[in-house]
Structure formats: structure tokens, C-alpha cells
Amino acid sequence: MAEATQSQGKSRSRAEQHQDPIVAEEIEGTSEPQASATSATSKRTNAFTELMSAKKPKQTPEPAAVSAKAVRRGFDARDGLGLYIEHPEKNPEGLVVEYDDDFVVINDKFPKASVHLLLIPRKPEYYAQHPLSLLSSNSAFLAEVKTRVDRLRHLAASELRRKYGRDSASDQPYQTALSSLMEQSDSPPPSERDALLPPGRDWLSSIKAGVHTHPSMNHMHIHILSREMHSPCLKHKKHYLSFNSSFFVGVDEFPLQEGSERFHPGDWPSWDMKCWRCGETYQNKFAKLKAHLGDEFEAWKRE
């Protein structure tokens, strides 16, 4: 397969904009974002919260902030992820989870689920490459992404457990044993706890990872998010379909074969919406689906 080097240009046609999985106010940064998923507090720490405290990037006296009014003239809002790539040590908007020379991980500014992370490569040669082509043609890069995504999926699963474990019937054996362990005066360090506890609920099965066939942002990025789609930032049909249709290509599906139909999803915004959990079809009735998702979330949480 020919290596993809096509830049996602500064201007897009109306037809291309129709394919965007996020809406204009999110791209421009004028929509109100949800508070970071990592801002919630708990007496019981886990891998996610410990990572945030142990590897918190250095802060600047005046943290960088992105606003529509402050964007410099000529700046393409679709290049917004570049801020986290270029200066992750400044922890722009408090969204950076971790970073190294090759990748930065952030909380999505407009999360579409309880946990929603972005894995963003920092090497300039990857910036403008189409994710489907890059992940299908560069085996070394794909291997590195799969390794990192696997770790982040476990990290996201641990955050789901922290948020909802005490509400879950199937996680009670783990939760009960954890409470007993935490009451001990010589409680083991977090890195050793899970080996001493029953497995409980399989939270990892509620985490998915992948890319959009037609990304809205110019910089290549991979989504790692929970399946339940519980978020006030889920506001439109395209929001839902972009993560719950073949427009979303899972990391485990790569590499794609040359000529795969996944490169050309068609008029996906016109597709019917189906509940991710029960499969019921809602056609174009997003308000009804949104209400249904709230009920499904409560049921899913109690499983």
C-alpha cells in the first residue's frame, strides 16, 4: 500500500465538512467542555489517579489556555492538538495525562464517554498522515500503537472501576476484598493489590480503541474510550455514529487490506443509530436515543 502523506488541508469543502465526526464549535474550541474525567476524587486510589499524581507534567506560572478569542490570526483550529504535542510539559488546559518523546496522552476536551483518552504521536512525519493508511502501511508504528493502546485500555478500565465499581453487582467480590485490604495497617502498595484480589467485573471489555475514517482534527490521533457513551458532550447524531458504526475502525482491525471498503464509509451521517448495548434502532431520533442511553447506562453500571 502506498504510504500516506496526504495533508488534511487548511480548508475543506462542504462535502468534507459534512463528514466531520465533531461539530464546528468543538473544532473552534467555543463549545463548553466537560470537566476532566480525572478530576473526580476518591479515597481509594488506582492506576489512573496515581499516574496523574505521580507523573503530573510541570506547570507554568500562567498555564496555557486555548480560546477562540486568543487564537492567532491564520491559525487553523483543526491543528488544535498541536498544542499538546509541542508543549505537553505545560499541561495545556490540564488535559495531559502523560507524555514522552514519541507520544502524548490527553483527556479528550469534549469526551463522548465516562473515560475518553487520545493517544497522539509527536513525530512530525506522522502529523498529517491519514490514520487508516498509516496504521495499515507502517508495521513498526502499528506495533508501537498496539502496545501503548493495550496499556491505556487497562488504565481506562481501572478508571471505570474507580468510578462505578461500588455500583456493580459483578464487581462486589473485588470491592469487598479491596475494602478489607485497605483497612489493614500494612496494606500492600497499589502495584501489588490486584494480584491479591479476586478478578471481579471485566471492565476491560467496556473499553474500545480506534480511529475515525475521516478525522476532524489534522494531527493523527487514536481514541481510547469506554463503550457506554455517557457524557453531556454527546450532543449530536454524528457524535454517536462516529463511535458506533463502521466509521470507527478499531486498532485491532489493522492492518487493513489495500482497497478495503473501510477507507470509504459512504454517507455515514445518514445511517440509522442503534443502541450500543441492546441493538434497538432509533433511526434519526437522537433525543430518544439519548434518553435511552441514560437508562442503558444505569443498567450497565449495575451489572
Side-chain angles (χ1 to χ4, degrees), residues 115-171:
V115 181
H116 191 168
L117 303 173
L118 298 182
L119 174 65
I120 313 170
R122 298 184 67 192
K123 293 183 178 179
E125 59 263 35
Y126 298 143
Y127 287 179
Q129 293 201 40
H130 192 286
L132 270 61
S133 295
L134 176 59
L135 292 169
S136 297
S137 62
N138 190 323
S139 58
F141 180 76
L142 174 60
E144 178 64 16
V145 164
K146 285 186 173 181
T147 297
R148 291 185 182 248
V149 162
D150 182 66
R151 175 177 172 274
L152 292 173
R153 288 183 68 244
H154 282 82
L155 194 65
S158 72
E159 175 66 355
L160 280 187
R161 169 169 271 160
R162 184 192 68 80
K163 292 170 72 71
Y164 306 124
R166 280 167 282 189
D167 298 317
S168 170
S170 59
D171 209 40

Side-chain angles (χ1 to χ4, degrees), residues 237-248:
K237 179 184 180 182
K238 288 199 294 184
H239 284 167
Y240 185 78
L241 283 177
S242 68
F243 292 102
N244 293 276
S245 72
S246 59
F247 183 80
F248 186 77

Side-chain angles (χ1 to χ4, degrees), residues 44-291:
R44 297 188 293 180
T45 60
N46 67 1
F48 201 103
T49 52
E50 285 164 1
L51 176 65
M52 290 297 292
S53 61
K55 296 186 178 181
K56 190 174 182 180
K58 297 178 181 178
Q59 300 290 321
T60 58
E62 298 180 359
V66 177
S67 67
K69 294 181 180 179
V71 172
R72 65 183 180 273
R73 181 174 297 179
F75 175 74
D76 185 353
R78 295 177 187 276
D79 289 330
L81 295 180
L83 178 66
Y84 311 104
I85 295 171
E86 295 171 5
H87 299 291
E89 74 284 353
K90 295 181 180 179
N91 196 10
E93 301 174 299
L95 296 177
V96 175
V97 176
E98 64 178 10
Y99 65 92
D100 57 27
D101 291 342
D102 297 320
F103 289 86
V104 60
V105 179
I106 68 170
N107 285 298
D108 195 298
K109 186 176 180 179
F110 301 98
K112 302 305 184 293
S114 295
V115 181
H116 191 168
L117 303 173
L118 298 182
L119 174 65
I120 313 170
R122 298 184 67 192
K123 293 183 178 179
E125 59 263 35
Y126 298 143
Y127 287 179
Q129 293 201 40
H130 192 286
L132 270 61
S133 295
L134 176 59
L135 292 169
S136 297
S137 62
N138 190 323
S139 58
F141 180 76
L142 174 60
E144 178 64 16
V145 164
K146 285 186 173 181
T147 297
R148 291 185 182 248
V149 162
D150 182 66
R151 175 177 172 274
L152 292 173
R153 288 183 68 244
H154 282 82
L155 194 65
S158 72
E159 175 66 355
L160 280 187
R161 169 169 271 160
R162 184 192 68 80
K163 292 170 72 71
Y164 306 124
R166 280 167 282 189
D167 298 317
S168 170
S170 59
D171 209 40
Q172 288 313 298
Y174 176 94
Q175 296 293 327
T176 300
L178 177 61
S179 294
S180 297
L181 196 64
M182 293 295 290
E183 291 173 358
Q184 299 178 11
S185 58
D186 57 345
S187 178
S191 60
E192 300 176 11
R193 286 177 193 160
D194 279 356
L196 303 173
L197 298 170
R201 180 170 173 172
D202 179 16
W203 295 101
L204 192 62
S205 64
S206 291
I207 305 297
K208 58 184 180 181
V211 297
H212 287 138
T213 303
H214 181 93
S216 294
M217 306 303 285
N218 288 338
H219 291 86
M220 196 276 181
H221 56 282
I222 300 102
H223 296 266
I224 301 97
L225 73 163
S226 48
R227 292 181 56 85
E228 90 296 328
M229 306 304 289
H230 179 68
S231 170
C233 293
L234 185 74
K235 298 179 178 180
H236 303 277
K237 179 184 180 182
K238 288 199 294 184
H239 284 167
Y240 185 78
L241 283 177
S242 68
F243 292 102
N244 293 276
S245 72
S246 59
F247 183 80
F248 186 77
V249 184
V251 169
D252 58 355
E253 298 181 60
F254 289 99
L256 299 177
Q257 295 296 316
E258 185 173 2
S260 169
E261 62 181 13
R262 302 303 299 278
F263 286 86
H264 308 285
D267 188 22
W268 68 273
S270 68
W271 296 347
D272 287 346
M273 297 177 292
K274 294 183 179 180
C275 173
W276 68 271
R277 190 165 181 265
C278 71
E280 185 175 354
T281 299
Y282 283 83
Q283 298 177 325
N284 292 317
K285 301 173 183 177
F286 179 77
K288 290 188 65 174
L289 172 65
K290 180 77 171 180

